[in-house]
PDB file of all heavy atoms in Angstrom:
ATOM      1  N   TYR A  29       5.699   0.818  -6.735  1.00 71.00           N
ATOM      2  CA  TYR A  29       5.765   1.016  -8.211  1.00 71.00           C
ATOM      3  C   TYR A  29       5.860   2.534  -8.416  1.00 71.00           C
ATOM      4  O   TYR A  29       5.895   3.315  -7.519  1.00 71.00           O
ATOM      5  CB  TYR A  29       4.690   0.341  -9.020  1.00 71.00           C
ATOM      6  CG  TYR A  29       3.283   0.861  -8.570  1.00 71.00           C
ATOM      7  CD1 TYR A  29       2.594   1.927  -9.207  1.00 71.00           C
ATOM      8  CD2 TYR A  29       2.535   0.158  -7.492  1.00 71.00           C
ATOM      9  CE1 TYR A  29       1.400   2.343  -8.855  1.00 71.00           C
ATOM     10  CE2 TYR A  29       1.329   0.673  -7.112  1.00 71.00           C
ATOM     11  CZ  TYR A  29       0.752   1.784  -7.753  1.00 71.00           C
ATOM     12  OH  TYR A  29      -0.484   2.107  -7.409  1.00 71.00           O
ATOM     13  N   SER A  32       1.857   8.132  -8.979  1.00 86.00           N
ATOM     14  CA  SER A  32       1.352   9.396  -9.475  1.00 86.00           C
ATOM     15  C   SER A  32       1.149  10.277  -8.128  1.00 86.00           C
ATOM     16  O   SER A  32       0.695   9.774  -7.108  1.00 86.00           O
ATOM     17  CB  SER A  32      -0.014   9.264 -10.045  1.00 86.00           C
ATOM     18  OG  SER A  32       0.157   8.575 -11.315  1.00 86.00           O
ATOM     19  N   SER A  94      -1.463   8.614  -5.511  1.00 84.00           N
ATOM     20  CA  SER A  94      -2.535   7.717  -6.063  1.00 84.00           C
ATOM     21  C   SER A  94      -2.285   6.242  -5.905  1.00 84.00           C
ATOM     22  O   SER A  94      -1.243   5.796  -6.240  1.00 84.00           O
ATOM     23  CB  SER A  94      -2.728   8.057  -7.581  1.00 84.00           C
ATOM     24  OG  SER A  94      -3.719   7.272  -8.085  1.00 84.00           O
ATOM     25  N   ASP A  95      -3.219   5.543  -5.320  1.00 74.00           N
ATOM     26  CA  ASP A  95      -3.097   4.110  -5.073  1.00 74.00           C
ATOM     27  C   ASP A  95      -4.157   3.369  -5.863  1.00 74.00           C
ATOM     28  O   ASP A  95      -5.281   3.810  -5.886  1.00 74.00           O
ATOM     29  CB  ASP A  95      -3.181   3.927  -3.596  1.00 74.00           C
ATOM     30  CG  ASP A  95      -2.853   2.436  -3.195  1.00 74.00           C
ATOM     31  OD1 ASP A  95      -2.179   1.716  -4.038  1.00 74.00           O
ATOM     32  OD2 ASP A  95      -3.273   2.043  -2.087  1.00 74.00           O
ATOM     33  N   GLN A  96      -3.776   2.175  -6.419  1.00 70.00           N
ATOM     34  CA  GLN A  96      -4.795   1.459  -7.076  1.00 70.00           C
ATOM     35  C   GLN A  96      -5.480   0.534  -6.189  1.00 70.00           C
ATOM     36  O   GLN A  96      -4.937  -0.285  -5.459  1.00 70.00           O
ATOM     37  CB  GLN A  96      -4.081   0.665  -8.211  1.00 70.00           C
ATOM     38  CG  GLN A  96      -5.114  -0.142  -9.173  1.00 70.00           C
ATOM     39  CD  GLN A  96      -4.537  -0.716 -10.419  1.00 70.00           C
ATOM     40  OE1 GLN A  96      -3.380  -0.572 -10.594  1.00 70.00           O
ATOM     41  NE2 GLN A  96      -5.361  -1.271 -11.228  1.00 70.00           N
ATOM     42  N   VAL A  97      -6.794   0.608  -6.263  1.00 66.00           N
ATOM     43  CA  VAL A  97      -7.736  -0.287  -5.462  1.00 66.00           C
ATOM     44  C   VAL A  97      -8.676  -0.874  -6.324  1.00 66.00           C
ATOM     45  O   VAL A  97      -9.512  -0.281  -6.982  1.00 66.00           O
ATOM     46  CB  VAL A  97      -8.526   0.470  -4.304  1.00 66.00           C
ATOM     47  CG1 VAL A  97      -9.385  -0.448  -3.431  1.00 66.00           C
ATOM     48  CG2 VAL A  97      -7.527   1.213  -3.407  1.00 66.00           C
ATOM     49  N   ASP A  98      -8.569  -2.208  -6.530  1.00 64.00           N
ATOM     50  CA  ASP A  98      -9.328  -3.002  -7.598  1.00 64.00           C
ATOM     51  C   ASP A  98      -9.185  -2.361  -8.897  1.00 64.00           C
ATOM     52  O   ASP A  98      -7.962  -2.175  -9.348  1.00 64.00           O
ATOM     53  CB  ASP A  98     -10.893  -2.894  -7.132  1.00 64.00           C
ATOM     54  CG  ASP A  98     -11.098  -3.645  -5.825  1.00 64.00           C
ATOM     55  OD1 ASP A  98     -10.371  -4.635  -5.512  1.00 64.00           O
ATOM     56  OD2 ASP A  98     -11.934  -3.188  -5.112  1.00 64.00           O
ATOM     57  N   SER A  99     -10.155  -1.914  -9.505  1.00 63.00           N
ATOM     58  CA  SER A  99     -10.022  -1.330 -10.898  1.00 63.00           C
ATOM     59  C   SER A  99      -9.939   0.222 -10.810  1.00 63.00           C
ATOM     60  O   SER A  99      -9.976   0.872 -11.940  1.00 63.00           O
ATOM     61  CB  SER A  99     -11.084  -1.807 -11.793  1.00 63.00           C
ATOM     62  OG  SER A  99     -12.308  -1.373 -11.329  1.00 63.00           O
ATOM     63  N   ASN A 100      -9.909   0.767  -9.711  1.00 67.00           N
ATOM     64  CA  ASN A 100     -10.045   2.230  -9.590  1.00 67.00           C
ATOM     65  C   ASN A 100      -8.841   2.756  -8.853  1.00 67.00           C
ATOM     66  O   ASN A 100      -8.041   1.947  -8.251  1.00 67.00           O
ATOM     67  CB  ASN A 100     -11.271   2.650  -8.874  1.00 67.00           C
ATOM     68  CG  ASN A 100     -11.647   4.127  -9.053  1.00 67.00           C
ATOM     69  OD1 ASN A 100     -11.134   4.725 -10.138  1.00 67.00           O
ATOM     70  ND2 ASN A 100     -12.332   4.646  -8.167  1.00 67.00           N
ATOM     71  N   TYR A 101      -8.499   4.030  -8.979  1.00 71.00           N
ATOM     72  CA  TYR A 101      -7.489   4.662  -8.176  1.00 71.00           C
ATOM     73  C   TYR A 101      -8.031   5.541  -7.039  1.00 71.00           C
ATOM     74  O   TYR A 101      -8.972   6.268  -7.297  1.00 71.00           O
ATOM     75  CB  TYR A 101      -6.626   5.407  -9.170  1.00 71.00           C
ATOM     76  CG  TYR A 101      -5.865   4.613 -10.123  1.00 71.00           C
ATOM     77  CD1 TYR A 101      -6.373   4.191 -11.428  1.00 71.00           C
ATOM     78  CD2 TYR A 101      -4.643   4.123  -9.843  1.00 71.00           C
ATOM     79  CE1 TYR A 101      -5.658   3.462 -12.239  1.00 71.00           C
ATOM     80  CE2 TYR A 101      -3.810   3.261 -10.692  1.00 71.00           C
ATOM     81  CZ  TYR A 101      -4.454   2.916 -11.904  1.00 71.00           C
ATOM     82  OH  TYR A 101      -3.759   2.134 -12.703  1.00 71.00           O
ATOM     83  N   GLN A 102      -7.468   5.421  -5.937  1.00 77.00           N
ATOM     84  CA  GLN A 102      -7.887   6.346  -4.847  1.00 77.00           C
ATOM     85  C   GLN A 102      -6.688   7.025  -4.374  1.00 77.00           C
ATOM     86  O   GLN A 102      -5.578   6.754  -4.695  1.00 77.00           O
ATOM     87  CB  GLN A 102      -8.433   5.383  -3.676  1.00 77.00           C
ATOM     88  CG  GLN A 102      -9.677   4.697  -3.909  1.00 77.00           C
ATOM     89  CD  GLN A 102     -10.148   3.941  -2.754  1.00 77.00           C
ATOM     90  OE1 GLN A 102      -9.753   4.228  -1.603  1.00 77.00           O
ATOM     91  NE2 GLN A 102     -11.000   3.046  -2.943  1.00 77.00           N
ATOM     92  N   LEU A 103      -7.050   8.257  -3.735  1.00 84.00           N
ATOM     93  CA  LEU A 103      -6.032   9.202  -3.394  1.00 84.00           C
ATOM     94  C   LEU A 103      -5.735   8.897  -1.889  1.00 84.00           C
ATOM     95  O   LEU A 103      -6.508   8.836  -1.050  1.00 84.00           O
ATOM     96  CB  LEU A 103      -6.436  10.575  -3.428  1.00 84.00           C
ATOM     97  CG  LEU A 103      -6.819  10.964  -4.934  1.00 84.00           C
ATOM     98  CD1 LEU A 103      -7.162  12.431  -5.028  1.00 84.00           C
ATOM     99  CD2 LEU A 103      -5.569  10.773  -5.813  1.00 84.00           C
TER     100      LEU A 103
ATOM    101  N   TYR B  33     -17.016  11.212  -4.682  1.00 95.00           N
ATOM    102  CA  TYR B  33     -16.371  10.752  -3.434  1.00 95.00           C
ATOM    103  C   TYR B  33     -16.846  11.649  -2.211  1.00 95.00           C
ATOM    104  O   TYR B  33     -17.131  12.809  -2.443  1.00 95.00           O
ATOM    105  CB  TYR B  33     -14.990  11.006  -3.600  1.00 95.00           C
ATOM    106  CG  TYR B  33     -14.263  10.434  -4.889  1.00 95.00           C
ATOM    107  CD1 TYR B  33     -14.344  11.020  -6.053  1.00 95.00           C
ATOM    108  CD2 TYR B  33     -13.614   9.171  -4.757  1.00 95.00           C
ATOM    109  CE1 TYR B  33     -13.745  10.473  -7.119  1.00 95.00           C
ATOM    110  CE2 TYR B  33     -12.993   8.625  -5.936  1.00 95.00           C
ATOM    111  CZ  TYR B  33     -13.069   9.380  -7.076  1.00 95.00           C
ATOM    112  OH  TYR B  33     -12.560   8.809  -8.203  1.00 95.00           O
ATOM    113  N   TYR B  35     -15.339  12.763   1.513  1.00 96.00           N
ATOM    114  CA  TYR B  35     -14.138  12.696   2.398  1.00 96.00           C
ATOM    115  C   TYR B  35     -14.515  13.473   3.782  1.00 96.00           C
ATOM    116  O   TYR B  35     -15.373  14.349   3.732  1.00 96.00           O
ATOM    117  CB  TYR B  35     -12.950  13.466   1.888  1.00 96.00           C
ATOM    118  CG  TYR B  35     -12.342  12.781   0.721  1.00 96.00           C
ATOM    119  CD1 TYR B  35     -12.703  13.115  -0.680  1.00 96.00           C
ATOM    120  CD2 TYR B  35     -11.247  11.831   0.834  1.00 96.00           C
ATOM    121  CE1 TYR B  35     -12.067  12.637  -1.753  1.00 96.00           C
ATOM    122  CE2 TYR B  35     -10.651  11.323  -0.328  1.00 96.00           C
ATOM    123  CZ  TYR B  35     -11.091  11.645  -1.477  1.00 96.00           C
ATOM    124  OH  TYR B  35     -10.384  11.145  -2.669  1.00 96.00           O
ATOM    125  N   TYR B  48     -17.284   6.085  -2.005  1.00 94.00           N
ATOM    126  CA  TYR B  48     -17.169   6.554  -3.238  1.00 94.00           C
ATOM    127  C   TYR B  48     -18.081   5.760  -4.272  1.00 94.00           C
ATOM    128  O   TYR B  48     -18.369   4.612  -3.859  1.00 94.00           O
ATOM    129  CB  TYR B  48     -15.647   6.481  -3.752  1.00 94.00           C
ATOM    130  CG  TYR B  48     -15.095   5.129  -3.951  1.00 94.00           C
ATOM    131  CD1 TYR B  48     -15.016   4.446  -5.158  1.00 94.00           C
ATOM    132  CD2 TYR B  48     -14.587   4.421  -2.883  1.00 94.00           C
ATOM    133  CE1 TYR B  48     -14.385   3.211  -5.308  1.00 94.00           C
ATOM    134  CE2 TYR B  48     -14.018   3.254  -2.873  1.00 94.00           C
ATOM    135  CZ  TYR B  48     -13.970   2.559  -4.197  1.00 94.00           C
ATOM    136  OH  TYR B  48     -13.382   1.344  -4.289  1.00 94.00           O
ATOM    137  N   GLN B  50     -18.624   4.981  -8.524  1.00 91.00           N
ATOM    138  CA  GLN B  50     -18.081   5.042  -9.869  1.00 91.00           C
ATOM    139  C   GLN B  50     -19.236   5.106 -10.928  1.00 91.00           C
ATOM    140  O   GLN B  50     -18.970   5.327 -12.102  1.00 91.00           O
ATOM    141  CB  GLN B  50     -17.106   3.940 -10.190  1.00 91.00           C
ATOM    142  CG  GLN B  50     -15.900   3.996  -9.348  1.00 91.00           C
ATOM    143  CD  GLN B  50     -14.976   2.810  -9.688  1.00 91.00           C
ATOM    144  OE1 GLN B  50     -14.328   2.841 -10.793  1.00 91.00           O
ATOM    145  NE2 GLN B  50     -14.812   1.855  -8.815  1.00 91.00           N
ATOM    146  N   SER B  94     -14.598  12.994 -10.273  1.00 91.00           N
ATOM    147  CA  SER B  94     -13.510  12.714 -11.215  1.00 91.00           C
ATOM    148  C   SER B  94     -14.118  11.937 -12.340  1.00 91.00           C
ATOM    149  O   SER B  94     -15.152  11.217 -12.288  1.00 91.00           O
ATOM    150  CB  SER B  94     -12.372  12.122 -10.631  1.00 91.00           C
ATOM    151  OG  SER B  94     -12.655  10.688 -10.444  1.00 91.00           O
ATOM    152  N   GLY B  97     -11.398   6.087 -15.405  1.00 71.00           N
ATOM    153  CA  GLY B  97     -10.670   5.585 -16.535  1.00 71.00           C
ATOM    154  C   GLY B  97      -9.403   4.878 -16.013  1.00 71.00           C
ATOM    155  O   GLY B  97      -9.198   4.712 -14.801  1.00 71.00           O
ATOM    156  N   GLY B  98      -8.604   4.345 -16.999  1.00 62.00           N
ATOM    157  CA  GLY B  98      -7.404   3.599 -16.636  1.00 62.00           C
ATOM    158  C   GLY B  98      -6.274   4.507 -16.105  1.00 62.00           C
ATOM    159  O   GLY B  98      -5.395   3.982 -15.530  1.00 62.00           O
ATOM    160  N   SER B  99      -6.360   5.754 -16.247  1.00 64.00           N
ATOM    161  CA  SER B  99      -5.266   6.593 -15.824  1.00 64.00           C
ATOM    162  C   SER B  99      -5.184   6.615 -14.317  1.00 64.00           C
ATOM    163  O   SER B  99      -6.159   6.684 -13.595  1.00 64.00           O
ATOM    164  CB  SER B  99      -5.363   7.959 -16.327  1.00 64.00           C
ATOM    165  OG  SER B  99      -4.448   8.946 -15.677  1.00 64.00           O
ATOM    166  N   SER B 100      -3.945   6.593 -13.791  1.00 62.00           N
ATOM    167  CA  SER B 100      -3.844   6.707 -12.307  1.00 62.00           C
ATOM    168  C   SER B 100      -3.725   8.112 -11.871  1.00 62.00           C
ATOM    169  O   SER B 100      -3.766   8.373 -10.688  1.00 62.00           O
ATOM    170  CB  SER B 100      -2.457   6.066 -11.910  1.00 62.00           C
ATOM    171  OG  SER B 100      -1.347   6.892 -12.485  1.00 62.00           O
ATOM    172  N   TYR B 101      -3.915   9.183 -12.645  1.00 69.00           N
ATOM    173  CA  TYR B 101      -3.865  10.431 -12.252  1.00 69.00           C
ATOM    174  C   TYR B 101      -4.978  11.310 -12.648  1.00 69.00           C
ATOM    175  O   TYR B 101      -4.876  12.424 -13.128  1.00 69.00           O
ATOM    176  CB  TYR B 101      -2.411  11.182 -12.728  1.00 69.00           C
ATOM    177  CG  TYR B 101      -2.149  10.819 -14.073  1.00 69.00           C
ATOM    178  CD1 TYR B 101      -2.500  11.624 -15.194  1.00 69.00           C
ATOM    179  CD2 TYR B 101      -1.207   9.706 -14.432  1.00 69.00           C
ATOM    180  CE1 TYR B 101      -2.155  11.258 -16.478  1.00 69.00           C
ATOM    181  CE2 TYR B 101      -0.860   9.466 -15.697  1.00 69.00           C
ATOM    182  CZ  TYR B 101      -1.281  10.207 -16.762  1.00 69.00           C
ATOM    183  OH  TYR B 101      -0.938   9.915 -18.042  1.00 69.00           O
ATOM    184  N   ASN B 102      -6.158  10.713 -12.639  1.00 78.00           N
ATOM    185  CA  ASN B 102      -7.409  11.471 -12.844  1.00 78.00           C
ATOM    186  C   ASN B 102      -7.621  12.519 -11.664  1.00 78.00           C
ATOM    187  O   ASN B 102      -7.749  12.137 -10.580  1.00 78.00           O
ATOM    188  CB  ASN B 102      -8.604  10.609 -12.927  1.00 78.00           C
ATOM    189  CG  ASN B 102      -8.538   9.651 -14.209  1.00 78.00           C
ATOM    190  OD1 ASN B 102      -7.977  10.129 -15.186  1.00 78.00           O
ATOM    191  ND2 ASN B 102      -9.078   8.513 -14.102  1.00 78.00           N
ATOM    192  N   GLN B 104      -9.209  14.889  -9.038  1.00 89.00           N
ATOM    193  CA  GLN B 104     -10.508  14.976  -8.359  1.00 89.00           C
ATOM    194  C   GLN B 104     -10.765  16.525  -8.190  1.00 89.00           C
ATOM    195  O   GLN B 104      -9.952  17.292  -7.813  1.00 89.00           O
ATOM    196  CB  GLN B 104     -10.461  14.327  -7.054  1.00 89.00           C
ATOM    197  CG  GLN B 104     -10.381  12.738  -7.151  1.00 89.00           C
ATOM    198  CD  GLN B 104     -10.413  12.016  -5.894  1.00 89.00           C
ATOM    199  OE1 GLN B 104     -10.867  12.578  -4.893  1.00 89.00           O
ATOM    200  NE2 GLN B 104     -10.229  10.666  -5.975  1.00 89.00           N
TER     201      GLN B 104
END
Side-chain angles (χ1 to χ4, degrees):
Chain A
Y29 57 91
S32 294
S94 177
D95 189 19
Q96 186 170 2
V97 178
D98 299 324
S99 60
N100 195 22
Y101 291 91
Q102 293 184 17
L103 300 182
Chain B
Y33 311 80
Y35 292 92
Y48 66 100
Q50 297 184 66
S94 74
S99 168
S100 66
Y101 43 87
N102 292 328
Q104 291 188 12

